[in-house]
Amino acid sequence: MTKKNLVVLSSGGGTNLQALIDACQSEYLKASVTGLVTNKPDSPAIARAKKASVTTVVVSPKDFDSISDWDKQLTKVVKELNPDIIILAGFVLKIGSLFLKTFENKIINTHPSLLPKYGGQGMFGHHVHKAVLKSKDTCTGISIHWVNQNYDAGKLIDQIQIPISPNETLKSLIEKIKPIEHEFLIKTVKLILKQ
Ligand code: GRF
């Protein structure tokens, strides 16, 4: 079976990136992470990528005159990494139209709620979990979906439900969700790659 190429876009801690790197190294996924692309030069994901000798590229909108120029550069950089699948794992910026067109049916996003609940602009990281806890819902989860031009709104690939305990705190919820998300992500990527 030929190895597939994964490209990860992350703006943050990179624990999902790490799960993907580990899954490739253990050969659970017959794949390699060929690149990490981030908009944040201080993203902790960078250290994780470097440790695993994964090519790392910073492409920040701050360095471009327009979003369209940023979109062009992001598209160019990711094309060079030759992805079979592109995984947005904590990437907080909206993907541009050229990028979407170039990589049609190749871009997925992981989101820590049961979309369409608690998605959309500004709904990332602890903001999602705070909103979930405030709602008094008894269940949350993870959604993995195809990416379109709107935040967290593309066609759903799969979801997993996670119960919320009566005495749940922000910290306990985050700690509970993280490992479940990592496992769910690598399983879903495996299914998408038909492995
Ligand atoms: C994840 O919970 C992901 O669902 C969301 O942002 C978080 C990123 O975590 N979009 P990490 O940077 O992979 O640790």
Side-chain angles (χ1 to χ4, degrees), residues 12-16 89-90 110-112 178 181:
T15 63
N16 283 283
T110 175
H111 185 81
K178 279 271 172 194
E181 180 172 30

Side-chain angles (χ1 to χ4, degrees), residues 4-10 14-36 48 52 54 85-90 108 110 144 181-190 192-193:
K4 301 291 187 181
N5 292 341
L6 315 182
V7 172
V8 179
L9 269 59
S10 163
T15 63
N16 283 283
L17 165 73
Q18 190 67 58
L20 290 161
I21 290 172
D22 293 347
C24 291
Q25 284 178 348
S26 71
E27 296 188 1
Y28 173 78
L29 293 174
K30 309 291 176 277
S32 326
V33 180
T34 57
L36 161 71
R48 295 179 187 275
V54 168
I85 179 167
I86 298 161
I87 299 141
L88 309 192
I108 66 167
T110 175
I144 297 182
E181 180 172 30
H182 299 157
E183 201 187 328
F184 187 56
L185 177 62
I186 62 170
K187 276 191 177 159
T188 306
V189 168
K190 195 173 172 79
I192 294 170
L193 296 176

Side-chain angles (χ1 to χ4, degrees), residues 74-83 102-103:
L74 192 69
T75 304
K76 180 172 175 275
V77 159
V78 172
K79 228 185 211 169
E80 282 162 9
L81 296 166
N82 196 21
T102 307
F103 302 111

